[in-house]
Amino acid sequence: MATQALFLDDPFLSEAEASVLDVNDRGGIILDQTIFYATSGGQPGDVGTLTTGNGVSIEIGATIYGADKSEIIHVPAIQDRLPAAGDRVNLRLDWQRRHRHMRMHTALHLLCSIVPFPVTGGSIGETESRLDFDIEDAGAIDKAALNEQLNALIAAGHPIQSRWITDDELTANPDLVRTMSVKPPIGTGKVRLIAIGGDEEIDLQPCGGTHVRNTSEIRPVVVSKIEKKGRQNRRIRVRLAEQP
Ligand SMILES: [Zn+2]
């Protein structure tokens, strides 16, 4: 059973209607469509509430992909009064949390664009995130300079757009893939590209995450730490300047 991922085309939907396709044996709720991002690519899944037509409110504590990634499973915080297949439900995200993920996620794209080394991993949090780079010469990275460059890109107000290309187009342009640890989402026939900077092209890469519309929406960030992780792995931590 496939779930249509509404967040791919409109990450700004914080509320929507959907139909329950199935409730699995662990109480996970599968819908025909959803605004809830499912954990992947270092970005945590969304939390929020699902309300049935009878006014029963179900708190969703996690959102994950099913085994074949075609279905998205909404995991209730408490398995009480679950809906049934066929029920219509209203979906509402914890938007504040999700918008912080979008700001942090977009900031990591910018970080990736100014650190000219392969990415080996990463993780997004609500107020702090990190990217790991394969850097042989650690002296090549200066925290103060990085901080300045990153905030300059944010303040410049570059637009962020998405577009779809075919798997074949991606295979023909392997340079588009910056993240070595995460395989690009090939197999469904098309891949979504995220472009930052319009004609200026600051960053362009395949990505299934959620992003803000303009870099200025990220607001100021702080490059908080550069850590050594293994012989030539460096972990760069970035946090939102204004903490909740
Ligand atoms: Zn992304």
Side-chain angles (χ1 to χ4, degrees):
M1 265 174 270
T3 310
Q4 196 193 342
L6 300 176
F7 52 81
L8 285 177
D9 288 317
D10 188 359
F12 281 82
L13 282 176
S14 61
E15 225 184 313
E17 301 286 323
S19 293
V20 176
L21 293 180
D22 191 24
V23 178
N24 68 24
D25 49 13
R26 292 182 195 162
I29 303 162
I30 297 135
L31 306 172
D32 62 341
Q33 56 176 19
T34 191
I35 50 176
F36 281 67
Y37 182 78
T39 303
S40 57
Q43 184 178 332
D46 284 325
V47 302
T49 50
L50 194 154
T51 309
T52 67
N54 309 333
V56 175
S57 196
I58 300 157
E59 194 189 327
I60 302 300
T63 308
I64 54 173
Y65 278 107
D68 70 354
K69 273 205 125 190
S70 70
E71 60 184 29
I72 291 176
I73 302 169
H74 305 76
V75 184
I78 304 164
Q79 303 220 345
D80 193 20
R81 295 197 291 177
L82 295 173
D87 284 358
R88 288 291 290 171
V89 290
N90 174 270
L91 315 175
R92 190 189 289 261
L93 288 184
D94 176 343
W95 176 249
Q96 206 176 34
R97 175 179 182 272
R98 171 41 190 291
H99 190 242
R100 287 199 190 110
H101 287 158
M102 286 160 63
R103 289 163 63 198
M104 290 258 58
H105 186 131
T106 313
L108 292 189
H109 276 256
L110 294 179
L111 180 65
C112 196
S113 78
I114 52 183
V115 177
F117 296 97
V119 174
T120 57
S123 175
I124 291 157
E126 216 181 318
T127 57
E128 198 192 60
S129 301
R130 61 173 171 80
L131 273 184
D132 294 343
F133 292 91
D134 182 358
I135 303 174
E136 221 170 312
D137 173 18
I141 300 294
D142 177 72
K143 197 165 94 171
L146 205 56
N147 201 56
E148 201 173 308
Q149 280 176 288
L150 188 54
N151 278 294
L153 281 177
I154 290 170
H158 295 291
I160 294 132
Q161 278 151 338
S162 67
R163 66 171 194 267
W164 294 90
I165 60 167
T166 63
D167 284 359
D168 292 344
E169 284 173 283
L170 182 66
T171 309
N173 296 279
D175 293 350
L176 288 176
V177 183
R178 280 291 310 272
T179 317
M180 300 196 314
S181 67
V182 182
K183 266 196 176 173
I186 278 187
T188 55
K190 59 180 190 169
V191 174
R192 192 178 64 150
L193 288 183
I194 295 297
I196 304 183
D199 294 339
E200 266 177 87
E201 201 176 291
I202 301 211
D203 186 60
L204 177 70
Q205 56 181 299
C207 185
T210 58
H211 312 83
V212 293
R213 295 186 184 106
N214 187 287
T215 58
S216 62
E217 207 178 322
I218 299 168
R219 316 250 288 270
V221 298
V222 178
V223 176
S224 49
K225 215 176 202 180
I226 300 177
E227 299 166 273
K228 191 171 156 69
K229 289 278 167 190
R231 198 166 57 85
Q232 56 182 69
N233 223 35
R234 294 295 177 280
R235 174 166 293 176
I236 303 179
R237 293 184 183 275
V238 178
R239 61 177 174 80
L240 300 179
E242 132 225 328
Q243 296 287 307

